[in-house]
Amino acid sequence: MTVAVQGPAGSAWLDTLLHGPFDLLSHLIWIAENTLNANLFERCLELLLSIAYKREETLQQMLEAGIMLVIINALKACTHALQQDAALQPGAQEPPDSNDDTPGPAPSHAAALAALTICEVLAQDPDDPLFSSHCSTLCSLSTQMLALHDFLQRKANMQCVLVVLLACLDSSQWVPSIVTNAAALEAVLEVLKDDYGFEEEVEADRALQGQEAAWAVLAAVSNHLASRNAVFQVFSRLADSAEVLTDSSLAEVAPGSASYVWRTLLQALDGSSAVRDPDWQQAEARQQSKLSAFKVQLTEALRRAKQLM
């Protein structure tokens, strides 16, 4: 069915399947929610993703049929499995206990990627109550998965989709988590520079979309830092990536967002609008000099951007 829907006669297939006596969407989502067969679960999500891409009007039907519960449960199981993998590393701490029931077996990489991509498509209308009611949980799981990106199998595509998804969601629900999680911020920077540290490649269009989303995420982070609390560790981490952040070739992907990031970070570093956290006063001279150098790089990046206008 997935091959047929994706083929040249896909529209005709969908007309028959969606408008016939058999309620395809409800049955597919019911199977995905209840099956214990990992392969069947993966096939259901792949078909649902193909339908979502092919027919935008089916998205509301998917939400009404309960697709978000299927996606949330799949991401919970995936996150739990990643936490267990991380806990097996030498010197790792035990993963935090959860009040939720232990999720089922982790979905395959393809199934988890399909679930996230369906969610990305659904996020085109983030204000729909059937979607927004799950937004907080979705933001939390996405941030946790980004923080565990070193343990994602064939992680590049998944990492890219996670950043794109966050950029579609209400930033107030995920920015505080990104700001306090160095690993998640590192994952965003990897997507920005399109360098995931291993052999897998991301399709060019998806990589470009990921870079645009990474700039949007960094814009939300910089705004949070400037308007609320300037966290020294975050600025120190951003300063370590100054060459990436001020790279004019990367900024060409989203020049408006890039300029906003540079300008807002400068405002926060100048202390004109941000409250400094206690670590600012305790920082070593070497780290303070690193931040001073960061300010120079940001100023130079803004100067170059103005020349190109």
Side-chain angles (χ1 to χ4, degrees):
M1 289 172 68
T2 302
V3 172
V5 168
Q6 292 175 344
S11 293
W13 269 87
L14 278 178
D15 286 337
T16 302
L17 292 170
L18 295 176
H19 303 301
F22 185 75
D23 187 358
L24 174 71
L25 282 177
S26 294
H27 281 77
L28 275 175
I29 291 172
W30 186 92
I31 292 170
E33 185 175 357
N34 291 281
T35 184
L36 299 177
N37 185 314
N39 288 330
L40 180 57
F41 179 74
E42 180 179 325
R43 298 293 179 266
C44 284
L45 286 184
E46 287 176 346
L47 179 52
L48 287 166
L49 178 58
S50 296
I51 294 171
Y53 273 145
K54 203 85 173 183
R55 289 285 176 86
E56 188 174 332
E57 63 268 24
T58 63
L59 300 181
Q60 184 63 32
Q61 292 174 257
M62 287 186 180
L63 287 169
E64 292 172 356
I67 186 65
M68 288 305 299
L69 189 60
V70 175
I71 291 172
I72 293 296
N73 287 338
L75 297 184
K76 281 183 177 180
C78 188
T79 303
H80 180 76
L82 291 171
Q83 289 172 338
Q84 296 303 311
D85 289 344
L88 294 175
Q89 300 304 304
Q93 297 180 351
E94 289 293 324
D97 293 332
S98 173
N99 294 326
D100 298 332
D101 292 335
T102 301
S108 66
H109 171 80
L113 186 58
L116 282 169
T117 309
I118 291 172
C119 209
E120 178 194 339
V121 177
L122 293 171
Q124 294 172 8
D125 185 12
D127 295 327
D128 188 304
L130 294 172
F131 182 86
S132 61
S133 61
H134 297 279
C135 189
S136 177
T137 302
L138 190 59
C139 289
S140 175
L141 290 169
S142 298
T143 305
Q144 289 179 59
M145 291 177 72
L146 274 178
L148 294 161
H149 63 280
D150 283 340
F151 303 95
L152 287 172
Q153 295 179 346
R154 291 160 40 204
K155 64 182 179 179
N157 281 290
M158 182 87 79
Q159 194 170 326
C160 194
V161 173
L162 283 165
V163 173
V164 172
L165 179 57
L166 281 181
C168 294
L169 301 176
D170 180 3
S171 62
S172 66
Q173 300 199 44
W174 53 259
V175 164
S177 298
I178 292 284
V179 167
T180 56
N181 195 316
L185 184 59
E186 175 64 30
V188 174
L189 291 168
E190 285 184 357
V191 173
L192 175 62
K193 60 186 177 181
D194 192 19
D195 180 10
Y196 303 89
F198 68 115
E199 295 180 357
E200 183 199 359
E201 295 182 356
V202 181
E203 292 181 4
D205 289 346
R206 172 58 86 178
L208 183 61
Q209 188 180 19
Q211 289 177 306
E212 292 174 344
W215 277 119
V217 169
L218 289 168
V221 167
S222 61
N223 184 63
H224 177 88
L225 292 171
S227 61
R228 289 173 177 80
N229 191 51
V231 183
F232 178 82
Q233 288 87 344
V234 178
F235 276 100
S236 180
R237 177 64 195 88
L238 292 174
D240 289 337
S241 299
E243 290 187 8
V244 174
L245 281 173
T246 58
D247 188 327
S248 56
S249 63
L250 294 178
E252 289 174 359
V253 173
S257 296
S259 295
Y260 180 85
V261 169
W262 300 333
R263 186 169 57 253
T264 309
L265 288 176
L266 271 175
Q267 290 173 356
L269 284 167
D270 286 336
S272 57
S273 59
V275 178
R276 305 290 182 89
D277 78 342
D279 285 341
W280 284 97
Q281 287 73 36
Q282 300 172 10
E284 298 176 0
R286 179 180 59 82
Q287 293 173 309
Q288 288 287 6
S289 63
K290 179 171 68 173
L291 293 183
S292 297
F294 187 32
K295 286 177 61 176
V296 172
Q297 290 171 289
L298 291 171
T299 303
E300 178 62 20
L302 276 172
R303 187 189 63 79
R304 291 196 305 266
K306 288 179 181 178
Q307 289 179 340
L308 295 174
M309 290 182 180

